[in-house]
Short mmCIF file of all heavy atoms in Angstrom, two decimals:
data_model
loop_
_atom_site.label_atom_id
_atom_site.label_comp_id
_atom_site.label_asym_id
_atom_site.label_seq_id
_atom_site.Cartn_x
_atom_site.Cartn_y
_atom_site.Cartn_z
N HIS A 247 -16.02 -53.30 78.57
CA HIS A 247 -16.29 -51.87 78.37
C HIS A 247 -17.54 -51.47 79.16
O HIS A 247 -18.45 -52.26 79.31
CB HIS A 247 -16.44 -51.54 76.89
CG HIS A 247 -17.57 -52.23 76.18
ND1 HIS A 247 -18.85 -51.71 76.15
CD2 HIS A 247 -17.62 -53.39 75.48
CE1 HIS A 247 -19.63 -52.53 75.44
NE2 HIS A 247 -18.92 -53.56 75.05
N ASP A 249 -19.26 -48.57 78.43
CA ASP A 249 -20.18 -47.74 77.65
C ASP A 249 -21.19 -48.63 76.90
O ASP A 249 -21.01 -49.83 76.80
CB ASP A 249 -19.41 -46.85 76.65
CG ASP A 249 -18.58 -47.68 75.66
OD1 ASP A 249 -18.03 -48.72 76.03
OD2 ASP A 249 -18.53 -47.27 74.48
N ALA A 278 -26.62 -57.36 78.37
CA ALA A 278 -25.74 -58.34 77.76
C ALA A 278 -24.41 -57.70 77.32
O ALA A 278 -23.35 -58.28 77.47
CB ALA A 278 -26.43 -58.97 76.54
N ASP A 279 -24.48 -56.51 76.82
CA ASP A 279 -23.32 -55.83 76.19
C ASP A 279 -23.03 -54.52 76.93
O ASP A 279 -23.41 -53.48 76.44
CB ASP A 279 -23.62 -55.57 74.72
CG ASP A 279 -22.43 -55.04 73.96
OD1 ASP A 279 -21.31 -55.20 74.44
OD2 ASP A 279 -22.63 -54.47 72.87
N MET A 280 -22.29 -54.54 78.06
CA MET A 280 -21.88 -55.71 78.81
C MET A 280 -21.66 -55.35 80.28
O MET A 280 -20.71 -55.76 80.90
CB MET A 280 -20.63 -56.35 78.16
CG MET A 280 -19.44 -55.38 78.07
SD MET A 280 -17.86 -56.17 77.66
CE MET A 280 -17.46 -56.97 79.20
N GLU A 311 -15.66 -48.04 73.94
CA GLU A 311 -15.47 -49.21 73.07
C GLU A 311 -16.42 -49.19 71.88
O GLU A 311 -16.06 -49.61 70.78
CB GLU A 311 -15.68 -50.51 73.89
CG GLU A 311 -15.27 -51.78 73.15
CD GLU A 311 -16.38 -52.44 72.34
OE1 GLU A 311 -17.56 -52.03 72.42
OE2 GLU A 311 -16.07 -53.37 71.58
N GLU A 312 -17.63 -48.68 72.12
CA GLU A 312 -18.67 -48.74 71.07
C GLU A 312 -18.42 -47.75 69.94
O GLU A 312 -19.06 -47.87 68.90
CB GLU A 312 -20.05 -48.52 71.68
CG GLU A 312 -20.49 -49.57 72.69
CD GLU A 312 -20.79 -50.94 72.05
OE1 GLU A 312 -20.59 -51.07 70.83
OE2 GLU A 312 -21.22 -51.84 72.77
N GLU A 337 -17.38 -59.96 76.61
CA GLU A 337 -18.41 -59.60 75.63
C GLU A 337 -19.40 -60.74 75.48
O GLU A 337 -19.04 -61.91 75.67
CB GLU A 337 -17.77 -59.32 74.27
CG GLU A 337 -16.88 -58.11 74.20
CD GLU A 337 -17.66 -56.82 73.97
OE1 GLU A 337 -18.90 -56.85 73.92
OE2 GLU A 337 -17.00 -55.78 73.82
N PRO A 338 -20.64 -60.44 75.09
CA PRO A 338 -21.64 -61.50 74.98
C PRO A 338 -21.34 -62.49 73.85
O PRO A 338 -21.36 -62.12 72.68
CB PRO A 338 -22.95 -60.75 74.71
CG PRO A 338 -22.54 -59.43 74.19
CD PRO A 338 -21.21 -59.09 74.78
N ALA A 501 -15.86 -57.08 66.17
CA ALA A 501 -14.53 -56.71 66.66
C ALA A 501 -14.61 -56.41 68.16
O ALA A 501 -15.69 -56.06 68.68
CB ALA A 501 -14.03 -55.49 65.93
N ALA A 525 -27.24 -57.86 71.37
CA ALA A 525 -26.51 -56.62 71.61
C ALA A 525 -26.90 -55.60 70.55
O ALA A 525 -27.15 -55.95 69.40
CB ALA A 525 -25.01 -56.89 71.57
N HIS A 526 -26.97 -54.34 70.95
CA HIS A 526 -27.29 -53.22 70.07
C HIS A 526 -28.72 -53.29 69.53
O HIS A 526 -29.02 -52.66 68.55
CB HIS A 526 -26.30 -53.10 68.89
CG HIS A 526 -24.86 -53.02 69.30
ND1 HIS A 526 -23.84 -52.75 68.42
CD2 HIS A 526 -24.25 -53.19 70.50
CE1 HIS A 526 -22.68 -52.75 69.06
NE2 HIS A 526 -22.92 -53.01 70.33
ZN1 ZN B 100 -19.67 -54.95 73.71
#
Side-chain angles (χ1 to χ4, degrees):
H247 62 87
D249 60 323
D279 187 19
M280 58 168 286
E311 189 270 351
E312 296 290 5
E337 292 277 5
H526 306 189

